[in-house]
Amino acid sequence: MISKALVAASLKPFILSILADGESYGYEIIQRVHDLTGGQVQWTTGTLYPLLHSLENKNLLESFWREADAGPRRKYYRLTAKGYKALATEKQQWLSIHEALLKLWGPSPTLSPA
Amino acid sequence: MFHLDTALAAWRRSLSTNRTFSNDDLDELEQHLRDQIAALVKNGQSEKAAFEQAMATMGEYGAVEREYEKVYWEKLWRRGMLQNELSWKLSMFKNYLTVALRNLRKQKGYSFINIAGLALGLTCFILIGLFIRFEWSYDRFHAKADRIYRIEKINPGHTYLERDHFAITPAPLAAVLMEEFPEVEHAVYLDKVNAGLAYKDNQFYEDGLLATAHFFEVFGFHLLHGDSHTALMEPNAIVLTESLTQKYFGEETALGKAITVTYFGPHGPDALEMTVTGIIEDVPPNSHLVFDYITPFASSAMFQRNRDSWGTSTSYTYATLQAGQPVSAFANKLAALSQTYNDDEDNPDDQSYYYPQVLTHIHLRSNANFEFGVNGNITYVYLFGAIAVLILLIASINYVNLATARSTTRLMEVGVRKVMGAHRLQLVSQFMGEALLSSMAALLLALGLVVLLLPTFNALTARAITLDWAQDGPFLALLALIGFVIGTLAGSYPALVMSAFQPVRMMKKQVGHAQGKTTLRNVLVVAQFSVTIALFIGAVVIQRQLHYIQNASSGIDRDHVVALPIKDESLLERYDAIKNALQQHPAILGVTASETDPTMIDMRATTSDWEGAPEGQQASAYFTPIHYGFVDMFGIEVVEGRDFSEAITTDATEGILINETLKRQLGWDTAIGKRLNFYGRDTHVIGVVQDFTFQSFRQELAPLALLLAPEDVVRILIKVRPSNTPQTINFIEDALTSFSPDFPFEYYFLDDAYNSMYQTELRLGSLFNTFTLLALIIACLGLFGLATLAASQRTKEIGVRKVLGATLTDVLVLLSKDFVRLVGIALVLGMPIAYFVMRTWLDAFAYHISLSWGTFVAAGIAALTIALLTVSYQALKAALADPVKSLRYE
């Protein structure tokens, strides 16, 4: 499992990146993260939605309701222009940390020391 | 059977009362749960297990709410709904307030008892608090207050009026302190003086100070005009207070003007022209030095006596130490000083020594002989402090008790609120808010009462206490804190306990009569009444002792005696003519004269020469020179021999009257005709008078001698009829003024002077009475409230009992029994406390009443009766009520 702190830090870039692929809703976002990380990153529902709302409050996302063919309506989120800019910044920050760590660990890092 | 829809609905409801979740939020969350559960069910899980897992991934309990709370305000802000939210909060607050006020109004009786009781308690607390603060503030206004010392003389083994501390010291001391003690910054020698001041038509006697030049270096009295360094340099200088300046000079400029000052000494008056060299602010009321003007000792030759003598202590020495100098080292040096300077040849092995008394301790902690004025007493400060705390405790107990008791009548309301979705926090704030509202109302009421009562209180305590809103911030803050704490305590029981009950049980009234809480309430009532009973007994004992002091047979009839101090010495030569003139008036029953007041004879002389005196033995006795008729006019009984007689001329030169104690001390079986060398005279005893009280009741009877010395008397004493005294006084004034037109007429009543010795006790008595009465009222208010409640809670029971044939008495007993038992326990606890405290107090008096069990029994019966009367009103009302009415509802 990945540590709680790292999961928390990765929430925002994950959300922004997933929504950059196209609009989505909360359950789908959680599922995609689950699939992408092979179940290594587990988000609780109680932290995802408040963060979505908070990002919406900061105008990085916008939300809209969509009536489903069957069943109740669903709330979708998509990136705003400001959201794309924020994603670019996030990306840059994560990559620079990633690169720095790579320099330390060598060109082809292994998961466990030999 | 598990139903997903039901479970989800229940989950939704649990969040729906929380305002941080909007409907949209809940829709979104619900849809999420449904997606998740559907996926899990597809994987083969049961609906129930899927629901539980979905709930588990929601996050820890309460975490969701917290997370949503974080973004809530952002959301409101973004959507421009902040205003809405605030107005919602405000309307909820308005709702709380409305309910609180409605509750106060609906239960007028309770509200009154609650608020009035607490307000009374707080009023006492504030008044006593102000009094203590005032007592504490004495002499602290001097800039150097913490390093000013009054030098006292301690004379171990040589007691005078049962004390060996003397506030007065020899005159050369101040100068020696300045010269030989580098740690002394300045020293000043000062004394009280009463002189006639005259400027144009204004002519009065005024109290002032004689002082040496460094007065203003030592003390921080603020000079408004003039130079503090030179103001007292010239012998003819005088410094006046602002109000004295106003009295004599009005709007005129006083500085530099001449004013006539007339001193009165043993060798006649000395009238001097003095120049006003300074004007100071009025002496603050919390100064132990009280005066209206200051002049130098050098102003008159009559103050030069004993100026160089180390053998006579006549006035007060004050010194300031350099900042940072330890007082212990100074005290040690000072103690050794009396060995260096001792010119008392009669007493070569004098053990006396000097001691520095901290200025700020003089008022409350010093009880030396010849104090400057009447001091306060630290014991009484502690005593009143304790009373203040106790009264506040009684009032707070009432308040808490009533609030908790009353809360049980609101079970239905709380139940309904909870059913309607009220949060625990909302209920807590409702109850807390109500309690705080009434405690703050009580505090405001109390402050109003304090402002109203302060003048009366000042008259009672003889102080000038003020409450200054601007300057007393910390004090008011403390009061607000006390009000807050009491309100919180009173509110916390209903707030926390009631909000935890289950609504159904509350509405069925299945809770609220739990046993544990009644026990707590009973303990509080017992505590309250123990304190009240102890105070009550204390008040009775103090009253009886004061009555005893003022009325006990003292062997001397001092009532209705007018005393006239003689300042015009020429009056003495015309004494017989004055006496004759006075006796013309039918209301004047007798005229005599003496040197000291017969109620406070404090001059003492020592002799070793009397008939049959053992070798080397000394005897000392108090004495006063008197005129003819003294013994007769004061009704002093002559038990052996005779009184002084004008017919026998030798009485005036060699006669002496002694009291029984002196006779015993001299070891005589019969005294008449025995020789006694006393007061510089070789006398023979012509009579023995019965012992009479000639000092404070705190002192044991002491040996006393009366000498006939018409040339040494300084006051005329006139016995008048009790009726029409003002007219008689007018007659006396006219008569005296005709003999001595240049001197203002001055008089006082002897019993006033006597009572002034007990000022502190008399004041203590009346204050104690007042506060006890208030404590009693407050405690009874509480009892009344509880009785009302008990009666109302048992209405139905009483109805059933009456229907089944209970008599009026049965019901009365039923309702009063519990309270009487509580008061009974309180009696058992309160009495011993009162007994020990009052015994200690009485022991301070040489003559005091005995603490009889009668007092305690009487106080106990009184307390029980009052408690019963309080309770019986409600009991009677309940007992007389028609049972049909009480049984009909429901």
Side-chain angles (χ1 to χ4, degrees):
Chain A
M1 278 297 246
I2 290 170
S3 78
K4 254 187 160 176
L6 196 54
V7 170
S10 66
L11 267 168
K12 191 177 166 189
F14 266 125
I15 291 173
L16 294 177
S17 311
I18 289 168
L19 290 178
D21 279 357
E23 59 197 36
S24 183
Y25 56 95
Y27 181 68
E28 205 174 48
I29 295 172
I30 286 190
Q31 281 309 115
R32 279 205 65 187
V33 171
H34 182 87
D35 296 347
L36 281 168
T37 61
Q40 290 255 35
V41 173
Q42 289 274 9
W43 290 352
T44 60
T45 325
T47 43
L48 171 69
Y49 286 98
L51 183 63
L52 283 172
H53 297 174
S54 167
L55 293 176
E56 188 186 356
N57 287 337
K58 287 173 186 136
N59 285 328
L60 301 185
L61 315 177
E62 57 190 7
S63 68
F64 55 97
W65 291 89
R66 181 173 287 167
E67 298 299 329
D69 305 335
R73 58 193 188 135
R74 212 189 281 288
K75 192 178 185 182
Y76 278 79
Y77 295 88
R78 67 171 164 244
L79 280 193
T80 60
K82 205 176 163 191
Y84 281 104
K85 261 183 232 160
L87 176 60
T89 320
E90 277 302 311
K91 217 186 255 177
Q92 208 180 347
Q93 287 174 359
W94 276 91
L95 282 178
S96 61
I97 288 190
H98 179 74
E99 273 162 26
L101 288 173
L102 275 187
K103 275 179 201 157
L104 286 170
W105 294 330
S108 66
T110 47
L111 279 177
S112 55
Chain B
M1 202 35 215
F2 180 78
H3 277 290
L4 183 60
D5 287 339
T6 324
L8 282 172
W11 160 82
R12 232 187 125 125
R13 205 166 44 240
S14 78
L15 293 179
S16 66
T17 52
N18 191 327
R19 288 182 50 81
T20 47
F21 294 95
S22 70
N23 255 330
D24 282 354
D25 291 344
L26 291 172
D27 279 350
E28 185 183 24
L29 275 175
E30 188 183 338
Q31 189 53 44
H32 177 97
L33 286 171
R34 283 182 185 279
D35 286 343
Q36 198 179 354
I37 291 164
L40 288 167
V41 169
K42 213 167 147 193
N43 281 349
Q45 289 207 37
S46 74
E47 272 197 340
K48 190 172 178 215
F51 176 75
E52 276 162 7
Q53 199 182 329
M55 280 290 137
T57 54
M58 187 68 81
E60 282 163 51
Y61 177 77
V64 188
E65 282 90 335
R66 274 200 302 280
E67 292 297 325
Y68 268 86
E69 181 89 28
K70 278 185 205 159
V71 289
Y72 178 59
W73 289 99
E74 283 174 29
K75 228 185 273 185
L76 290 175
W77 181 250
R78 195 169 73 100
R79 300 191 195 149
M81 275 164 57
L82 202 61
Q83 205 182 349
N84 255 351
E85 176 67 13
L86 287 179
S87 78
W88 177 79
K89 289 250 171 210
L90 198 70
S91 65
M92 273 314 272
F93 178 75
K94 255 169 72 185
N95 170 271
Y96 293 144
L97 198 68
T98 314
V99 173
L101 288 175
R102 206 176 281 162
N103 263 316
L104 286 182
R105 232 174 311 149
K106 197 173 90 194
Q107 298 174 308
K108 278 201 195 75
Y110 285 128
S111 309
F112 173 76
I113 289 173
N114 232 349
I115 294 179
L118 188 60
L120 272 183
L122 281 169
T123 308
C124 293
F125 183 80
I126 297 170
L127 283 176
I128 296 178
L130 286 172
F131 172 73
I132 291 176
R133 195 184 59 167
F134 187 81
E135 291 292 280
W136 218 262
S137 73
Y138 262 79
D139 296 315
R140 288 181 200 269
F141 57 87
H142 298 290
K144 300 172 186 167
D146 57 334
R147 48 196 177 95
I148 304 177
Y149 296 87
R150 181 179 72 189
I151 314 300
E152 291 183 357
K153 191 170 185 174
I154 299 176
N155 206 344
H158 288 71
T159 57
Y160 172 77
L161 299 177
E162 297 182 353
R163 289 165 295 186
D164 61 2
H165 280 57
F166 295 83
I168 50 175
T169 38
L173 181 61
V176 165
L177 288 178
M178 295 270 281
E179 281 159 24
E180 297 179 14
F181 285 68
E183 62 268 47
V184 170
E185 197 176 270
H186 290 288
V188 64
Y189 188 59
L190 58 87
D191 201 358
K192 290 185 273 194
V193 70
N194 182 279
L197 263 60
Y199 178 76
K200 292 185 181 163
D201 293 338
N202 295 320
Q203 187 181 350
F204 307 95
Y205 289 122
E206 306 287 356
D207 288 320
L209 280 187
L210 293 169
T212 48
H214 296 294
F215 183 83
F216 291 109
E217 300 339 312
V218 172
F219 295 107
F221 295 109
H222 183 57
L223 253 121
L224 297 170
H225 305 284
D227 179 355
S228 65
H229 298 292
T230 58
L232 295 171
M233 286 294 194
E234 296 302 316
N236 65 342
I238 185 165
V239 174
L240 308 177
T241 60
E242 218 178 346
S243 54
L244 201 74
T245 312
Q246 181 68 28
K247 180 172 168 185
Y248 282 87
F249 294 94
E251 296 305 309
E252 286 181 52
T253 318
L255 206 66
K257 292 258 167 62
I259 185 166
T260 313
V261 178
T262 312
Y263 297 119
F264 304 94
H267 306 292
D270 189 4
L272 301 155
E273 283 290 298
M274 310 272 254
T275 311
V276 178
T277 54
I279 293 158
I280 56 169
E281 276 176 2
D282 283 353
V283 177
N286 53 354
S287 167
H288 88 282
L289 292 173
V290 180
F291 57 90
D292 280 319
Y293 59 91
I294 315 163
T295 62
F297 277 98
S299 55
S300 166
M302 73 170 69
F303 306 126
Q304 303 312 310
R305 262 203 316 181
N306 299 323
R307 285 291 283 157
D308 304 319
S309 161
W310 284 90
T312 334
S313 296
T314 50
S315 310
Y316 307 88
T317 308
Y318 291 81
T320 37
L321 281 194
Q322 304 275 8
Q325 287 291 335
V327 66
S328 50
F330 175 58
N332 288 338
K333 268 176 86 178
L334 202 54
L337 192 71
S338 61
Q339 299 311 314
T340 325
Y341 296 98
N342 179 9
D343 58 8
D344 187 356
E345 277 144 25
D346 296 343
N347 199 2
D349 47 25
D350 187 10
Q351 292 297 307
S352 67
Y353 61 94
Y354 299 110
Y355 169 82
Q357 166 72 267
V358 190
L359 177 78
T360 48
H361 282 187
I362 291 177
H363 178 68
L364 283 178
R365 294 171 197 272
S366 175
N367 182 24
N369 283 306
F370 312 111
E371 287 282 353
F372 190 92
V374 180
N375 282 345
N377 187 331
I378 189 79
T379 318
Y380 292 156
V381 167
Y382 289 143
L383 183 68
F384 281 119
I387 291 178
V389 171
L390 289 178
I391 287 185
L392 191 65
L393 192 74
I394 293 176
S396 313
I397 287 178
N398 253 358
Y399 190 72
V400 174
N401 251 352
L402 278 177
T404 56
R406 192 177 63 166
S407 66
T408 56
T409 62
R410 291 176 65 181
L411 286 171
M412 188 71 84
E413 178 199 333
V414 176
V416 172
R417 277 174 177 274
K418 291 189 85 166
V419 168
M420 299 300 282
H423 269 262
R424 188 157 184 188
L425 193 69
Q426 287 172 322
L427 286 172
V428 169
S429 38
Q430 174 77 51
F431 278 104
M432 286 286 192
E434 277 175 36
L436 284 175
L437 188 73
S438 29
S439 74
M440 287 303 153
L443 183 60
L444 284 182
L445 199 63
L447 284 173
L449 276 173
V450 166
V451 170
L452 219 63
L453 291 176
L454 209 50
T456 322
F457 185 71
N458 275 336
L460 210 58
T461 53
R463 296 286 186 269
I465 300 163
T466 51
L467 180 62
D468 184 337
W469 303 106
Q471 282 182 13
D472 290 337
F475 186 69
L476 294 170
L478 174 76
L479 290 176
L481 184 74
I482 289 171
F484 182 78
V485 168
I486 295 173
T488 312
L489 278 179
S492 59
Y493 172 79
L496 297 177
V497 177
M498 305 257 299
S499 60
F501 285 146
Q502 278 187 16
V504 179
R505 295 186 59 212
M506 293 174 97
M507 288 160 84
K508 283 188 173 169
K509 300 210 172 174
Q510 285 173 337
V511 288
H513 298 281
Q515 206 54 49
K517 163 171 51 81
T518 330
T519 316
L520 175 73
R521 207 183 297 153
N522 287 349
V523 168
L524 291 179
V525 169
V526 168
Q528 200 179 25
F529 262 82
S530 304
V531 170
T532 313
I533 287 167
L535 285 177
F536 191 66
I537 294 174
V540 172
V541 172
I542 290 177
Q543 253 354 271
R544 284 190 48 210
Q545 171 67 13
L546 291 179
H547 185 259
Y548 172 78
I549 291 175
Q550 285 169 292
N551 299 294
S553 158
S554 51
I556 174 168
D557 178 14
R558 59 177 173 264
D559 293 337
H560 313 297
V561 173
V562 180
L564 315 175
I566 302 172
K567 292 214 164 119
D568 178 2
E569 304 237 330
S570 71
L571 284 177
L572 282 185
E573 293 151 26
R574 293 171 289 166
Y575 174 78
D576 290 332
I578 296 169
K579 185 173 175 176
N580 274 331
L582 288 172
Q583 280 177 330
Q584 298 307 310
H585 197 279
I588 289 175
L589 303 175
V591 177
T592 183
S594 71
E595 176 153 355
T596 59
D597 274 343
T599 50
M600 192 60 208
I601 299 176
D602 59 1
M603 291 190 294
R604 192 163 64 168
T606 304
T607 176
S608 55
D609 180 14
W610 69 90
E611 202 168 318
E615 189 61 37
Q617 189 158 341
Q618 288 195 334
S620 66
Y622 292 95
F623 70 94
T624 182
I626 57 170
H627 218 297
Y628 291 106
F630 181 92
V631 171
D632 189 36
M633 194 182 92
F634 283 106
I636 300 164
E637 198 181 331
V638 181
V639 290
E640 211 183 312
R642 58 176 178 83
D643 185 12
F644 293 116
S645 164
E646 287 185 72
I648 303 168
T649 49
T650 52
D651 279 1
T653 50
E654 52 190 65
I656 192 166
L657 287 171
I658 62 175
N659 72 352
E660 290 170 299
T661 307
L662 179 56
K663 179 181 141 188
R664 270 198 305 279
Q665 194 191 2
L666 298 179
W668 288 335
D669 292 329
T670 53
I672 308 305
K674 293 265 166 63
R675 196 178 56 79
L676 168 63
N677 192 303
F678 196 79
Y679 192 55
R681 291 182 185 177
D682 212 20
T683 64
H684 288 88
V685 176
I686 59 158
V688 178
V689 296
Q690 197 175 40
D691 279 331
F692 64 92
T693 313
F694 58 87
Q695 287 168 353
S696 156
F697 258 84
R698 270 189 233 96
Q699 272 110 39
E700 303 266 2
L701 280 177
L704 173 76
L706 297 172
L707 294 136
L708 193 63
E711 68 284 0
D712 288 340
V713 300
V714 295
R715 67 199 74 228
I716 300 176
L717 303 160
I718 306 162
K719 179 114 186 157
V720 298
R721 274 189 207 284
S723 53
N724 267 337
T725 335
Q727 280 178 14
T728 318
I729 301 278
N730 280 341
F731 170 78
I732 297 172
E733 177 170 4
D734 291 345
L736 256 288
T737 318
S738 70
F739 280 98
S740 168
D742 296 334
F743 288 79
F745 178 69
E746 226 190 340
Y747 77 96
Y748 58 88
F749 282 97
L750 215 51
D751 46 356
D752 288 346
Y754 175 78
N755 285 338
S756 75
M757 285 196 287
Y758 303 104
Q759 262 180 41
T760 327
E761 276 76 18
L762 291 172
R763 274 182 218 139
L764 168 81
S766 36
L767 275 181
F768 205 91
N769 276 351
T770 315
F771 289 129
T772 303
L773 186 71
L774 285 172
L776 200 63
I777 290 176
I778 297 169
C780 284
L781 273 178
L783 206 56
F784 184 79
L786 288 180
T788 314
L789 194 93
S792 77
Q793 277 179 346
R794 298 172 80 171
T795 315
K796 196 164 290 177
E797 179 194 341
I798 292 163
V800 173
R801 280 174 188 273
K802 285 189 78 174
V803 169
L804 292 176
T807 61
L808 180 70
T809 332
D810 292 340
V811 178
L812 279 181
V813 169
L814 177 77
L815 282 174
S816 316
K817 201 174 58 192
D818 291 345
F819 291 108
V820 170
R821 207 184 62 221
L822 294 182
V823 175
I825 298 173
L827 267 176
V828 173
L829 292 175
M831 279 184 178
I833 302 171
Y835 179 80
F836 286 113
V837 175
M838 290 332 288
R839 252 237 335 240
T840 320
W841 183 71
L842 284 178
D843 281 347
F845 293 86
Y847 295 89
H848 59 77
I849 55 167
S850 56
L851 273 178
S852 64
W853 282 106
T855 311
F856 288 81
V857 172
I861 290 173
L864 264 179
T865 314
I866 293 170
L868 257 180
L869 282 175
T870 311
V871 175
S872 63
Y873 170 74
Q874 284 300 330
L876 204 64
K877 217 168 91 176
L880 290 174
D882 187 349
V884 176
K885 275 187 192 152
S886 63
L887 290 173
R888 194 164 47 196
Y889 78 87
E890 257 183 32

